Amino acid sequence: MSRLEAKKPSLCKSEPLTTERVRTTLSVLKRIVTSCYGPSGRLKQLHNGFGGYVCTTSQSSALLSHLLVTHPILKILTTSIQNHVSSFSDCGLFTAILCCNLIENVQRLGLTPTTVIRLNKHLLSLCISYLKSETCGCRIPVDFSSTHILLCLVRSILTSKPACMLTRKETEHVSALILRAFLLTIPENAEGHIILGKSLIVPLKGQRVIDSTVLPGILIEMSEVQLMRLLPIKKSTALKVALFCTTLSGDISDTGEGTVVVSYGVSLENAVLDQLLNLGRQLISDHVDLVLCQKVIHPSLKQFLNMHRIIAIDRIGVTLMEPLTKMTGTQPIGSLGSICPNSYGSVKDVCTAKFGSKHFFHLIPNEATICSLLLCNRNDTAWDELKLTCQTALHVLQLTLKEPWALLGGGCTETHLAAYIRHKTHNDPESILKDDECTQTELQLIAEAFCSALESVVGSLEHDGGDILTDMKYGHLWSVQADSPCVANWPDLLSQCGCGLYNSQEELNWSFLRSTRHPFVPQSCLPHEAVGSASNLILDCLTAKLSGLQVAIETANLILDLSYVIEDKN
């Protein structure tokens, strides 16, 4: 009998943010996410000491899912970011960096948590109202009748993920493919409420990125021998499809939703096989051309169907069931009994295809709302990162379809927003405080901490020792290389702002980021001709950025409000 141990009392810690251990841990997490940020972010390699899978990434979704976090405060932070990324896919690192810096900045002020939280909420409301307003100087409309802005949005996501290891030509090629794959998921004759289709990513590792392509329909990977056995179908009309979600292997332990009735003295195996063949006869009488099965088809049934020129494909797997249901219009059949005529669907045509060393059976849809993105990259690591990035880009395009606006990227939105907040809090504090009991001095302190946190996100884009400037007209970011002279004519050193909208040939005045300067009002209402003439804009998804901003500030408020951490040590 094992020895019983007395339960240990719970460990209670007051004022957790004041402990050196928590501050150090938060600082380490901040350095990790900061060093990953932007197109020149440094990659992280994550693995455990016992071997196994090694993840090389700079993306927040992969990074946080592989990090083992034990401290309760860090768990709150990482869980909040992971929840945001699972819903919006983008702006995870932005959220993490902003949250960590805001916590650090307000801790130095010595204000009460109640005051800090109340003022942070006011500033968050101010930010969201401005970014959603018609006068916002860093928000541009997305026109779905033109590919220009959409391509800029996708390209911005791809270039911010260095572990994809793409050249400029490859980036342009993959950007066009992602946009095409997304557009194929939009129904042609959609009116009112739109139900989008689905883009399936098919792996082709070890191939050139430039060999990637998009095809309407679904590709089912098969061996060359299997494809050679399939009989060609020649038919001028659509092909009738039956889709089974139960096994057709004759396994008695898995009869799906139906039952098998067996008379006394009859072999169970023969009875099930007879029922399978009866099922096959119904498929033949219903003029079915293609039978697809999630699991296994009995060899005798498969041969019987082939004799009657019906193509039978099994072991499709659960992943393709939903896309096949959407594309063919079938209702998955879950029993061996009589089939309802409404369960059948159709495809326009079928053919075989070969890409690299892989062979596929290609189902061509009647209406192309399901497509396959054949994604190539040189090795497993680069392919895994590129797949995650393509999924992010496709999700961002879906979010943009719902809310057709984008924010200027490359750090320009953050510096512009910081300039706007400083101007607003200095020149019109009453409109922010309204009936709040906080003083204007407290507002100025919190606003400076808030703006400094936004500018820290911008500073995270620079990893090579360069300097960051902001102009005093638009409030945009401008980067200067590390080896630039201390006293210089800025227009000669600067080419374009971070988002690529403005160039240095305009009459602008610059100052270093975080330098002391008088608050100014950044120019609002972007000129349409400036947006249209910029060829390579860097853009962010408005919906994802707004959510990231909100999650960062609300999580910071939650952590700052913690008075006790109680841990059960049993």
Side-chain angles (χ1 to χ4, degrees):
M1 184 176 177
S2 60
R3 182 171 59 88
L4 297 176
E5 292 185 4
K7 288 189 71 173
K8 299 175 183 176
S10 296
L11 188 62
C12 183
K13 297 179 181 177
S14 63
E15 303 296 334
L17 282 179
T18 60
T19 63
E20 191 62 32
R21 180 195 165 203
V22 174
R23 290 187 176 184
T24 303
T25 311
L26 269 174
S27 178
V28 170
L29 179 65
K30 187 186 84 168
R31 289 201 301 272
I32 291 172
V33 292
T34 298
S35 63
C36 292
Y37 195 54
S40 60
R42 305 313 192 228
L43 304 184
K44 300 293 174 287
Q45 201 169 68
L46 299 109
H47 60 94
N48 62 47
F50 298 100
Y53 178 73
V54 176
C55 174
T56 303
T57 187
S58 64
Q59 299 196 50
S60 60
S61 56
L63 187 69
L64 296 178
S65 63
H66 287 85
L67 277 180
L68 179 62
V69 176
T70 57
H71 196 279
I73 289 181
L74 280 191
K75 281 186 178 179
I76 292 172
L77 202 158
T78 55
T79 302
S80 296
I81 297 162
Q82 285 177 302
N83 288 339
H84 160 77
V85 173
S86 67
S87 300
F88 298 93
S89 294
D90 201 17
C91 298
L93 292 176
F94 162 82
T95 306
I97 297 168
L98 179 60
C99 183
C100 290
N101 279 289
L102 187 58
I103 292 169
E104 281 191 1
N105 291 351
V106 299
Q107 276 189 292
R108 302 189 191 105
L109 301 178
L111 298 176
T112 63
T114 305
T115 303
V116 170
I117 292 166
R118 189 184 298 143
L119 290 174
N120 275 344
K121 287 179 179 178
H122 285 315
L123 294 176
L124 173 61
S125 177
L126 176 66
C127 291
I128 292 176
S129 298
Y130 177 67
L131 292 174
K132 286 187 172 183
S133 69
E134 295 296 327
T135 59
C136 178
C138 48
R139 188 183 76 150
I140 61 172
V142 177
D143 181 8
F144 276 82
S145 64
S146 169
T147 61
H148 173 57
I149 297 298
L150 294 171
L151 277 173
C152 288
L153 188 58
V154 176
R155 191 188 303 116
S156 302
I157 294 170
L158 285 172
T159 53
S160 68
K161 308 294 186 286
C164 294
M165 296 189 287
L166 300 180
T167 64
R168 181 174 293 181
K169 182 180 178 182
E170 290 169 346
T171 300
E172 294 296 330
H173 179 66
V174 176
S175 298
L177 290 182
I178 292 171
L179 181 55
R180 186 184 170 205
F182 168 71
L183 294 175
L184 282 172
T185 64
I186 303 175
E188 290 183 9
N189 302 316
E191 292 183 6
H193 184 65
I194 298 175
I195 299 176
L196 295 178
K198 192 176 182 69
S199 298
L200 305 173
I201 297 179
V202 181
L204 285 173
K205 300 176 184 179
Q207 303 291 322
R208 299 184 310 162
V209 176
I210 212 74
D211 292 333
S212 301
T213 188
V214 173
L215 294 173
I218 294 175
L219 293 171
I220 301 173
E221 186 177 350
M222 303 177 72
S223 68
E224 187 177 5
V225 175
Q226 285 176 300
L227 281 178
M228 290 173 65
R229 290 175 181 167
L230 297 179
L231 298 171
I233 300 178
K234 294 182 179 179
K235 199 173 179 181
S236 58
T237 58
L239 306 178
K240 201 169 187 178
V241 179
L243 178 64
F244 288 87
C245 59
T246 187
T247 181
L248 301 179
S249 66
D251 186 358
I252 301 171
S253 63
D254 186 2
T255 58
E257 298 168 5
T259 58
V260 179
V261 179
V262 183
S263 302
Y264 178 75
V266 176
S267 168
L268 291 174
E269 289 78 9
N270 290 337
V272 173
L273 182 56
D274 287 341
Q275 190 155 349
L276 287 174
L277 294 176
N278 286 333
L279 182 68
R281 292 185 187 97
Q282 183 181 353
L283 294 170
I284 294 165
S285 65
D286 290 342
H287 305 290
V288 172
D289 301 295
L290 179 62
V291 175
L292 303 171
C293 183
Q294 176 185 336
K295 299 179 182 178
V296 180
I297 299 177
H298 194 286
S300 298
L301 175 59
K302 192 180 288 188
Q303 184 180 8
F304 179 71
L305 294 172
N306 287 340
M307 285 171 57
H308 291 82
R309 306 193 68 80
I310 297 176
I311 293 178
I313 301 174
D314 58 358
R315 295 183 174 90
I316 287 173
V318 70
T319 306
L320 288 180
M321 290 300 290
E322 183 191 353
L324 282 169
T325 303
K326 279 187 175 182
M327 190 186 83
T328 61
T330 57
Q331 295 177 13
I333 303 164
S335 71
L336 305 182
S338 180
I339 302 172
C340 175
N342 294 333
S343 298
Y344 297 124
S346 65
V347 292
K348 184 179 180 181
D349 201 358
V350 295
C351 65
T352 60
K354 181 184 178 184
F355 297 95
S357 60
K358 292 186 176 183
H359 295 79
F360 299 93
F361 187 69
H362 184 193
L363 304 178
I364 302 170
N366 296 309
E367 185 182 0
T369 57
I370 303 290
C371 66
S372 297
L373 170 58
L374 288 107
L375 194 60
C376 307
N377 214 333
R378 301 167 189 82
N379 54 59
D380 288 3
T381 299
W383 188 89
D384 290 342
E385 189 78 352
L386 183 57
K387 177 193 176 185
L388 197 58
T389 306
C390 290
Q391 289 172 335
T392 298
L394 288 166
H395 191 187
V396 162
L397 289 171
Q398 291 174 0
L399 295 172
T400 307
L401 183 62
K402 293 178 183 177
E403 194 171 6
W405 295 90
L407 291 175
L408 298 176
C412 289
T413 289
E414 287 85 344
T415 51
H416 178 95
L417 193 57
Y420 172 79
I421 292 170
R422 284 194 177 101
H423 167 76
K424 196 75 175 173
T425 53
H426 277 78
N427 293 279
D428 191 15
E430 293 83 6
S431 65
I432 301 171
L433 291 173
K434 297 178 181 176
D435 298 329
D436 203 293
E437 296 177 358
C438 298
T439 65
Q440 291 190 16
T441 303
E442 289 171 334
L443 175 63
Q444 302 289 347
L445 289 172
I446 294 297
E448 188 55 41
F450 192 97
C451 294
S452 179
L454 282 171
E455 291 174 339
S456 295
V457 178
V458 173
S460 304
L461 290 167
E462 181 54 59
H463 301 279
D464 300 307
D467 287 316
I468 293 178
L469 309 175
T470 55
D471 67 81
M472 309 297 285
K473 181 178 180 181
Y474 305 109
H476 280 218
L477 172 148
W478 304 74
S479 295
V480 184
Q481 293 183 353
D483 54 355
S484 302
C486 295
V487 180
N489 185 23
W490 291 127
D492 296 336
L493 292 177
L494 304 171
S495 55
Q496 287 183 318
C497 66
C499 67
L501 186 61
Y502 299 113
N503 61 56
S504 60
Q505 301 309 309
E506 298 188 43
E507 294 182 1
L508 299 174
N509 295 316
W510 290 271
S511 66
F512 285 102
L513 188 71
R514 301 194 189 95
S515 61
T516 304
R517 58 182 180 272
H518 187 72
F520 67 98
V521 53
Q523 181 172 304
S524 58
C525 297
L526 287 173
H528 292 290
E529 59 275 9
V531 175
S533 62
S535 57
N536 288 313
L537 283 173
I538 305 296
L539 299 174
D540 288 326
C541 174
L542 172 68
T543 308
K545 199 87 169 197
L546 285 176
S547 171
L549 184 67
Q550 189 166 348
V551 169
I553 293 159
E554 289 178 352
T555 304
N557 284 347
L558 176 62
I559 292 172
L560 290 166
D561 200 28
L562 288 175
S563 298
Y564 290 91
V565 172
I566 303 171
E567 291 184 79
D568 186 358
K569 291 295 183 178
N570 295 292

